[in-house]
Amino acid sequence: MSHQASPRGTFLMIADALKARIAADPDMTELPSLAEVMRDHKVSRGVALRAFGVLRQDGVAEPAPGERWRVVRSGTRIDRRPLDQRIADIITAEGLEVGEAFPSASALADRFGVSRPTVTKALEKLETAGLLAGGGQGRVRTVRAVPTREERS
């Protein structure tokens, strides 16, 4: 990217480049990380954030707490519930019983496409709510309670 001033604004050019990338790749589900945009376009964090803001305003992408920004495509249904609620659904979806082992943080991170620390925070919420027991370094988490319909909604 040129270091000359642009009448259009660098952040708008970055937003246009990201839109073109999204249009060219129908399988793209998330934006590059903020660090990647900063590195690839040689811009500051503020400029990259403004580009992401344009994408949000245009309805092309949206932030996902604890995850990368996700691409919004018309006709695609996205589960926007907090991660801890989506993880709690595993108990009922997979028919887990009280006392059974729960998937590891690493497995959940892969499954939901988020970092392990993000999953760990969500698992801690579920432990606090009394749905999971155990956990911690080297210990297997187990199901302590099956969520009721009200807890899942």
Side-chain angles (χ1 to χ4, degrees):
M1 180 144 293
S2 169
H3 290 290
Q4 296 176 355
S6 165
R8 185 132 196 270
T10 304
F11 71 98
L12 292 172
M13 291 189 297
I14 294 170
D16 287 345
L18 290 170
K19 286 181 199 176
R21 198 165 149 190
I22 291 167
D25 184 359
D27 295 329
M28 186 176 183
T29 58
E30 59 186 28
L31 295 181
S33 70
L34 197 59
E36 291 169 338
V37 171
M38 290 167 56
R39 182 194 67 224
D40 294 348
H41 296 278
K42 296 177 178 55
V43 295
S44 69
R45 178 179 172 83
V47 171
L49 283 171
R50 285 185 74 186
F52 280 22
V54 168
L55 297 175
R56 181 182 197 173
Q57 185 177 4
D58 292 349
V60 175
E62 65 184 7
E67 303 175 40
R68 287 186 176 195
W69 279 58
R70 60 180 152 231
V71 174
V72 176
R73 298 192 189 272
S74 61
T76 304
R77 186 174 181 276
I78 297 173
D79 189 349
R80 290 182 170 86
R81 295 176 301 148
L83 183 60
D84 59 301
Q85 290 178 12
R86 291 184 284 155
I87 290 174
D89 281 350
I90 293 172
I91 297 171
T92 52
E94 295 184 6
L96 297 177
E97 300 289 330
V98 172
E100 283 191 70
F102 197 74
S104 70
S106 295
L108 292 169
D110 289 341
R111 182 172 179 168
F112 290 100
V114 297
S115 68
R116 279 185 41 222
T118 299
V119 169
T120 300
K121 287 179 187 175
L123 290 171
E124 288 170 356
K125 285 182 180 180
L126 295 175
E127 288 175 9
T128 302
L131 295 176
L132 297 177
Q137 200 142 17
R139 294 181 20 213
V140 176
R141 278 185 182 80
T142 57
V143 176
R144 178 183 276 172
V146 177
T148 62
R149 172 166 253 136
E150 295 80 38
E151 290 171 330
R152 285 186 277 147
S153 55

